[in-house]
Amino acid sequence: LLVDVENSKGRDLGIAMCNLVKGGLNIFGRMLTENVAVNVDVDFFKARLLRALEHRRRCGLDENGCRLVNGEGDFLPGVLCDRYDNVLCLQFTALAAEELMREEILDALEAVLSPKAIVIRYDACEDRILEHASIRVPELARGSEPGLPECKTKS
């Protein structure tokens, strides 16, 4: 569920995604934006991905083999994405991110990075367990069978 967040005086604070599953939740709401007028769509995720890539470039990281998206640190809460050459490994640590935005995030990753494949992992990490997200084997979500990626290092 995406919700507009207000303070006690009714001032808009932004948009959050919420996990409404009953039980031992990890985090009820995670802020996505500081502006309620923003459309949370493929273009939103493309912009966040480009921002994360630019940050890694400024830090001198080898984008060929690194964590491209690190959740809240890249303003994409509950989303992790690692790059191994032309294969991306996506993980959702927030159930709301997985259920609400999976396809938009996959579309944005394809548009920005043109990977050969995107694999989604559903590991039994503490966050997924607390959010009652399903634990299952990895899935080839987009592209062709990746095989073993070759990570080249900068010389």
Side-chain angles (χ1 to χ4, degrees):
L1 177 66
L2 289 180
V3 297
D4 292 346
V5 179
E6 299 178 342
N7 67 13
S8 61
K9 297 184 190 318
R11 182 177 159 264
D12 290 328
L13 298 177
I15 298 173
M17 59 179 174
C18 296
N19 181 352
L20 300 179
V21 175
K22 302 273 188 212
L25 294 181
N26 184 9
I27 297 173
F28 175 73
R30 298 168 192 255
M31 292 298 292
L32 282 173
T33 74
E34 295 178 353
N35 182 346
V36 296
V38 172
N39 289 325
V40 179
D41 56 12
V42 174
D43 289 334
F44 170 85
F45 292 110
K46 287 183 350 190
R48 292 287 165 100
L49 290 171
L50 289 169
R51 181 178 176 173
L53 282 169
E54 180 56 30
H55 178 70
R56 276 128 189 93
R57 287 182 188 126
R58 283 194 317 270
C59 292
L61 293 178
D62 181 0
E63 299 164 36
N64 189 52
C66 74
R67 174 146 292 169
L68 291 178
V69 176
N70 192 28
E72 286 79 356
D74 289 310
F75 304 100
L76 286 170
V79 180
L80 304 175
C81 184
D82 298 319
R83 183 178 196 171
Y84 304 98
D85 191 22
N86 58 4
V87 176
L88 302 178
C89 181
L90 180 64
Q91 299 176 68
F92 294 102
T93 58
L95 182 62
E98 181 179 342
E99 290 185 344
L100 294 173
M101 300 171 284
R102 171 192 151 106
E103 294 305 313
E104 289 84 356
I105 291 170
L106 288 168
D107 290 346
L109 287 167
E110 282 188 317
V112 170
L113 299 165
S114 303
K116 178 180 176 185
I118 303 174
V119 175
I120 302 179
R121 291 176 46 186
Y122 303 96
D123 298 349
C125 67
E126 188 173 353
D127 289 329
R128 288 188 65 78
I129 292 167
L130 288 171
E131 298 231 350
H132 299 281
S134 65
I135 309 303
R136 54 189 190 271
V137 298
E139 162 194 357
L140 179 63
R142 301 277 175 97
S144 59
E145 194 64 39
L148 294 174
E150 179 183 330
C151 291
K152 302 166 197 82
T153 57
K154 290 183 180 179
S155 302

